[in-house]
Amino acid sequence: MADVLRGLEPQLVFEYFEEISKIPRGSGNEKAISDYLVDFAKKHNLEVIQDKALNVIIKKPGTKGYENAPTVIIQGHMDMVCEKNKDTRHDFEKNAIQLRLDGDYIYANGTTLGADNGIAIAYALAILASNDIPHPPIEVLLTVEEETGMGGAMALDGSNLKGKMLINIDSEEEGKLLVSCAGGVRTTHKVKANLVDADKNKAAYTISIRGLKGGHSGMEIDKGRGNANKIMGRILDDLARELNFDLVEINGGSKMNAIPRECDATILINENDLQKLQDKINEWDKILKNELRSSDANVNVFVSKIDKEINKCFDSDTKNKVIASLVLIPNGIQTMSMAIDGLVESSTNLGVVETKENEILFQSAVRSSVRSLKYNILNQAKKVAEVIGAELVADSDYPEWQYDPDSKLRQLFMDVYKRMFGKDAEIVAIHAGVECGLFKEKLGEDVDMISFGPNLYDVHTPDEHISISSVKRMWDYLLAVLKEIK
């Protein structure tokens, strides 16, 4: 492959970025890039550790005058998201990423670029390979499988690192300093399905919810968007007071961490109750269009007849437990941060409701940047299960990165940014999980962390691109920060 990036500044950064773009490194396929990093370290006579998970740690002493400075961890991840256009012929297991320039931007030809998080690797290697950059002792930590569940960070042995300042280079907007993220846990309420023979004199109808926007249960939870599962709970609860119906099944949402856009509930009613059912559904359609007029104006609730024969339905006790679960399981924003304006501090999302052969599952994604609040929501979920008579399973528990009001590293980044660019950097936090949450757990509560990076656009899509000039500015910024750490 031709050297597309030759002549771009900073030269060494783009040289390494182009070199690693030749190495397939999709999540779960990091052996080649991990071995490349080990070979790089050996070539430069640097201490290197490659663990069983294929995480790589490379250590470089401080330069002259910085020998006794505090050790700084520079961190990113090796893996990239592999997406391509339908008409693009590319094998992510074998082929190099084909780079192209367009003005101030670097793209790939019909595939994801891998700047998320290849730019962190390139920055780190350029510092490690340099002999003219003043810096404190450096520990470069490059993890695997960040994009598919942070598996590398989870497998990390923190005793291999001694640094207590960590600079994560996995943010995507220049001038924004990430200082906090949410931890999470997943819950599943399991309601046993007791089935009885369906009344053959009743007709089957499906109530459907459509037209909701949905979205990421962390990043869009503050948008006030409707949750199809919770809405269906309200509708069925109201219907139960007006109609004698049997519940056959209910299914809504497809992913625990996505706000559910659709939900369907199949019921059995007497034919002479059809008009009453239709009137109720029309009433709820109007209610929801009013409630969600700003966030989900296209919401639609409707009922349709089912022609297939229904042989079984839930008994009345199961039906009541299902409705109670839908109504009582916590959902939405629970607390807002008092430290960072506009930040959702804790939330929960009833993302999936699924009818299985012998049980109905209610799956939620719980998030919080404060550990005690995360477990408070979990405790609420447990109490709901106890009251309803359901089983609760909690798993995939991962830690948060709580905002540190006394972070010296954050203050240093802010001071250097103001000096270099004549304006204040923006302090941001996200209501989603990032590797830094795990590093707090692995490296100790006293580790001081921040995340920054150059401007990236359309990440995780074939339109992903990175700003060349922003890479240069953020490179100079990083070197200026390192120079200050003595």
Side-chain angles (χ1 to χ4, degrees):
M1 185 170 69
D3 293 331
V4 177
L5 307 186
R6 180 177 292 174
L8 299 183
E9 292 291 339
Q11 182 178 335
L12 204 52
V13 171
F14 285 114
E15 180 180 311
Y16 282 117
F17 185 80
E18 186 150 19
E19 195 165 312
I20 64 173
S21 295
K22 299 173 185 177
I23 305 171
R25 50 190 172 88
S27 302
N29 184 39
E30 296 103 324
K31 181 68 164 61
I33 184 65
S34 182
D35 288 346
Y36 165 86
L37 294 169
V38 172
D39 290 341
F40 166 91
K42 291 178 178 177
K43 178 182 175 182
H44 290 85
N45 298 312
L46 299 171
E47 180 184 350
V48 62
I49 299 169
Q50 182 184 50
D51 65 20
K52 291 181 180 179
L54 298 179
N55 297 314
V56 172
I57 298 169
I58 305 174
K59 302 185 179 184
K60 184 183 180 185
T63 55
K64 187 176 180 180
Y66 291 81
E67 296 90 346
N68 298 315
T71 299
V72 175
I73 302 169
I74 295 177
Q75 193 271 325
H77 61 87
M78 300 177 215
D79 60 319
M80 63 176 281
V81 170
C82 297
E83 291 288 335
K84 64 184 181 71
N85 293 324
K86 287 183 178 180
D87 58 352
T88 299
R89 297 184 64 183
H90 186 92
D91 185 345
F92 283 106
E93 296 285 322
K94 300 176 182 177
N95 301 149
I97 299 297
Q98 301 295 316
L99 305 178
R100 65 180 175 89
L101 298 178
D102 185 353
D104 184 46
Y105 302 107
I106 304 169
Y107 288 80
N109 283 321
T111 72
T112 37
L113 175 64
D116 175 18
N117 192 226
I119 195 60
I121 303 174
Y123 275 172
L125 296 185
I127 291 170
L128 291 171
S130 71
N131 52 24
D132 60 352
I133 295 173
H135 62 74
I138 297 289
E139 295 177 326
V140 168
L141 168 62
L142 299 169
T143 54
V144 298
E145 295 186 1
E146 186 271 349
E147 300 288 4
T148 53
M150 298 184 283
M154 288 183 178
L156 181 70
D157 181 354
S159 66
N160 288 323
L161 296 153
K162 71 173 186 178
K164 289 300 180 182
M165 284 187 285
L166 186 146
I167 301 172
N168 168 278
I169 311 176
D170 195 17
S171 291
E172 298 160 4
E173 291 184 76
E174 178 181 329
K176 293 188 176 183
L177 303 176
L178 181 66
V179 297
S180 175
C181 77
V185 64
R186 297 183 175 189
T187 65
T188 301
H189 287 81
K190 297 182 177 182
V191 173
K192 184 180 178 181
N194 295 316
L195 302 178
V196 295
D197 292 334
D199 187 340
K200 299 299 182 181
N201 295 317
K202 289 185 177 181
Y205 290 86
T206 293
I207 303 167
S208 299
I209 298 171
R210 297 290 186 272
L212 297 172
K213 291 179 181 177
H216 188 285
S217 69
M219 306 305 285
E220 273 85 37
I221 200 71
D222 62 340
K223 303 296 191 299
R225 295 175 184 172
N227 179 305
N229 295 329
K230 293 294 288 185
I231 290 170
M232 186 64 78
R234 295 173 65 190
I235 294 172
L236 294 178
D237 185 51
D238 189 28
L239 280 178
R241 288 190 287 269
E242 303 283 337
L243 286 174
N244 178 21
F245 73 86
D246 299 319
L247 184 59
V248 176
E249 65 176 347
I250 180 169
N251 295 286
S254 59
K255 292 183 178 180
M256 200 181 300
N257 62 355
I259 302 168
R261 297 178 294 108
E262 300 179 350
C263 187
D264 296 296
T266 298
I267 65 172
L268 300 174
I269 63 167
N270 294 313
E271 285 285 14
N272 56 8
D273 282 333
L274 176 58
Q275 189 58 53
K276 188 179 290 187
L277 171 64
Q278 189 64 65
D279 289 344
K280 266 295 172 186
I281 297 304
N282 290 342
E283 179 185 337
W284 272 101
D285 190 60
K286 292 178 182 177
I287 288 171
L288 295 167
K289 281 180 167 59
N290 175 58
E291 288 183 357
L292 302 172
R293 61 187 182 276
S294 297
S295 61
D296 280 296
N298 295 321
V299 63
N300 185 24
V301 185
F302 57 93
V303 63
S304 52
K305 187 169 185 179
I306 294 179
D307 292 328
K308 72 175 183 178
E309 184 178 357
I310 303 294
N311 296 313
K312 297 286 183 178
C313 63
F314 301 144
D315 68 6
S316 60
D317 183 58
T318 303
K319 180 186 78 170
N320 292 336
K321 286 182 177 180
V322 167
I323 294 173
S325 298
L326 291 168
V327 172
L328 295 176
I329 290 173
N331 185 77
I333 295 173
Q334 304 296 298
T335 59
M336 297 293 292
S337 171
M338 294 294 102
I340 300 175
D341 188 40
L343 173 67
V344 178
E345 187 174 61
S346 58
S347 74
T348 180
N349 175 65
L350 178 55
V352 178
V353 175
E354 183 180 9
T355 300
K356 309 284 278 186
E357 186 175 350
N358 298 310
E359 60 187 1
I360 307 95
L361 305 181
F362 303 82
Q363 300 177 318
S364 298
V366 178
R367 302 174 188 271
S368 182
S369 54
V370 179
R371 185 168 303 181
S372 58
L373 293 176
K374 178 178 71 175
Y375 291 125
N376 181 55
I377 298 170
L378 178 58
N379 187 54
Q380 291 179 54
K382 289 178 180 177
K383 292 300 180 184
V384 169
E386 289 175 11
V387 170
I388 293 171
E391 177 189 357
L392 183 78
V393 176
D395 58 20
S396 301
D397 193 343
Y398 61 93
E400 68 293 326
W401 170 20
Q402 187 169 344
Y403 174 75
D404 179 4
D406 301 316
S407 169
K408 293 181 173 59
L409 189 59
R410 182 183 68 245
Q411 191 60 52
L412 174 59
F413 265 78
M414 292 175 65
D415 291 344
V416 173
Y417 191 89
K418 182 67 175 286
R419 186 176 72 232
M420 289 183 68
F421 303 107
K423 57 185 177 181
D424 291 328
E426 184 180 350
I427 301 302
V428 298
I430 60 170
H431 192 56
V434 299
E435 288 180 299
C436 289
L438 285 158
F439 297 143
K440 270 285 186 184
E441 185 176 76
K442 298 284 186 175
L443 304 176
E445 287 296 321
D446 57 340
V447 65
D448 196 354
M449 300 186 293
I450 200 159
S451 179
F452 87 111
N455 288 328
L456 276 74
Y457 308 89
D458 299 319
V459 297
H460 299 184
T461 80
D463 292 322
E464 179 187 358
H465 54 292
I466 189 169
S467 166
I468 297 166
S469 60
S470 183
V471 169
K472 176 66 165 64
R473 286 190 295 272
M474 292 300 94
W475 168 251
D476 292 340
Y477 180 37
L478 174 60
L479 298 192
V481 168
L482 292 176
K483 192 175 182 179
E484 295 285 322
I485 301 173
K486 291 185 176 181

